[in-house]
Amino acid sequence: MLENKYDYKISKADKNGNVYYHFPKDEDEFKEAVVKNGGMSVYVYQDDKLIDEFHTKSQGYKWTSPVFNYLKTMNKNRERFYRYYKNCKLFAVVD
Protein backbone atom coordinates (compact mmCIF):
# COMPACT_ATOMS: atom_id res chain seq x y z
CA MET A 1 0.00 0.00 0.00
CA LEU A 2 1.20 3.52 -0.76
CA GLU A 3 0.64 4.76 2.79
CA ASN A 4 4.06 3.63 4.02
CA LYS A 5 6.00 4.52 0.87
CA TYR A 6 6.33 8.30 1.39
CA ASP A 7 6.06 10.95 4.07
CA TYR A 8 2.70 12.42 3.05
CA LYS A 9 0.75 15.47 4.06
CA ILE A 10 -2.52 14.00 5.34
CA SER A 11 -5.96 15.63 5.50
CA LYS A 12 -8.57 15.16 8.17
CA ALA A 13 -11.35 12.76 7.16
CA ASP A 14 -14.18 14.35 5.21
CA LYS A 15 -17.85 13.68 6.02
CA ASN A 16 -17.77 10.46 3.95
CA GLY A 17 -14.72 9.17 5.80
CA ASN A 18 -12.27 9.83 2.96
CA VAL A 19 -8.71 10.83 3.78
CA TYR A 20 -6.49 12.60 1.24
CA TYR A 21 -2.70 12.34 1.00
CA HIS A 22 -0.14 14.13 -1.14
CA PHE A 23 3.58 13.76 -1.75
CA PRO A 24 5.79 15.76 -1.64
CA LYS A 25 4.46 16.77 1.77
CA ASP A 26 5.18 20.49 1.27
CA GLU A 27 2.16 21.93 -0.55
CA ASP A 28 4.09 24.49 -2.62
CA GLU A 29 6.69 21.89 -3.59
CA PHE A 30 3.89 19.49 -4.63
CA LYS A 31 2.14 22.12 -6.76
CA GLU A 32 5.36 23.21 -8.48
CA ALA A 33 6.34 19.59 -9.21
CA VAL A 34 2.92 18.80 -10.72
CA VAL A 35 3.14 21.81 -13.04
CA LYS A 36 6.81 21.19 -13.91
CA ASN A 37 6.44 17.41 -14.46
CA GLY A 38 3.16 17.70 -16.34
CA GLY A 39 0.71 16.01 -13.99
CA MET A 40 -0.04 13.77 -11.06
CA SER A 41 -1.52 10.38 -10.33
CA VAL A 42 -4.24 9.77 -7.77
CA TYR A 43 -4.66 6.25 -6.37
CA VAL A 44 -7.84 5.34 -4.48
CA TYR A 45 -7.71 2.60 -1.85
CA GLN A 46 -10.59 1.07 0.08
CA ASP A 47 -9.92 -1.60 2.72
CA ASP A 48 -6.25 -1.66 1.61
CA LYS A 49 -7.21 -2.56 -1.99
CA LEU A 50 -6.59 -0.33 -5.00
CA ILE A 51 -10.06 0.37 -6.43
CA ASP A 52 -9.36 3.26 -8.81
CA GLU A 53 -6.63 5.43 -10.26
CA PHE A 54 -6.46 8.66 -12.20
CA HIS A 55 -3.66 10.30 -14.16
CA THR A 56 -4.03 14.02 -14.71
CA LYS A 57 -2.14 16.29 -17.05
CA SER A 58 -1.02 19.71 -15.90
CA GLN A 59 -2.09 22.69 -17.98
CA GLY A 60 1.32 24.26 -17.38
CA TYR A 61 0.25 27.25 -15.31
CA LYS A 62 0.64 28.25 -11.69
CA TRP A 63 -1.51 26.22 -9.29
CA THR A 64 -3.23 28.47 -6.76
CA SER A 65 -6.00 26.43 -5.05
CA PRO A 66 -5.31 24.34 -1.93
CA VAL A 67 -4.30 20.79 -2.85
CA PHE A 68 -6.84 18.99 -0.63
CA ASN A 69 -9.71 21.16 -1.94
CA TYR A 70 -8.64 20.35 -5.50
CA LEU A 71 -8.49 16.60 -4.80
CA LYS A 72 -11.89 16.58 -3.09
CA THR A 73 -13.51 18.31 -6.06
CA MET A 74 -12.00 16.12 -8.79
CA ASN A 75 -14.73 14.20 -10.64
CA LYS A 76 -15.59 10.57 -11.32
CA ASN A 77 -18.70 9.96 -13.42
CA ARG A 78 -19.61 13.65 -12.99
CA GLU A 79 -19.65 13.28 -9.21
CA ARG A 80 -17.05 14.94 -7.00
CA PHE A 81 -14.59 12.62 -5.26
CA TYR A 82 -15.75 13.64 -1.79
CA ARG A 83 -19.28 12.50 -2.67
CA TYR A 84 -18.42 9.55 -4.93
CA TYR A 85 -16.08 7.68 -2.57
CA LYS A 86 -16.79 6.58 0.98
CA ASN A 87 -14.20 5.52 3.58
CA CYS A 88 -11.35 5.64 1.06
CA LYS A 89 -7.75 6.82 1.10
CA LEU A 90 -6.80 8.94 -1.91
CA PHE A 91 -3.07 9.30 -2.61
CA ALA A 92 -1.80 12.02 -4.95
CA VAL A 93 1.77 11.69 -6.18
CA VAL A 94 3.66 13.70 -8.77
CA ASP A 95 4.18 11.93 -12.11
Side-chain angles (χ1 to χ4, degrees), residues 14-20 42-46 50-54 71-90:
D14 66 20
K15 63 184 175 188
N16 284 335
N18 298 316
V19 178
Y20 302 84
V42 179
Y43 300 94
V44 183
Y45 283 83
Q46 188 173 50
L50 181 65
I51 61 166
D52 226 335
E53 65 182 78
F54 302 88
L71 293 173
K72 290 175 187 178
T73 59
M74 286 178 68
N75 291 292
K76 162 99 182 191
N77 298 335
R78 288 184 253 162
E79 188 70 72
R80 294 186 179 218
F81 278 7
Y82 74 92
R83 289 189 188 126
Y84 188 88
Y85 296 108
K86 294 192 179 1
N87 301 310
C88 291
K89 294 179 178 179
L90 293 90

Side-chain angles (χ1 to χ4, degrees), residues 22-86:
H22 71 72
F23 177 82
K25 189 174 188 174
D26 179 87
E27 189 158 333
D28 290 332
E29 187 180 336
F30 177 82
K31 290 177 185 180
E32 286 174 22
V34 169
V35 171
K36 180 182 170 198
N37 294 346
M40 68 176 167
S41 295
V42 179
Y43 300 94
V44 183
Y45 283 83
Q46 188 173 50
D47 298 325
D48 293 335
K49 292 185 184 119
L50 181 65
I51 61 166
D52 226 335
E53 65 182 78
F54 302 88
H55 304 282
T56 66
K57 297 291 179 214
S58 171
Q59 301 301 313
Y61 56 83
K62 187 167 174 58
W63 182 346
T64 57
S65 64
V67 174
F68 291 139
N69 289 357
Y70 181 81
L71 293 173
K72 290 175 187 178
T73 59
M74 286 178 68
N75 291 292
K76 162 99 182 191
N77 298 335
R78 288 184 253 162
E79 188 70 72
R80 294 186 179 218
F81 278 7
Y82 74 92
R83 289 189 188 126
Y84 188 88
Y85 296 108
K86 294 192 179 1

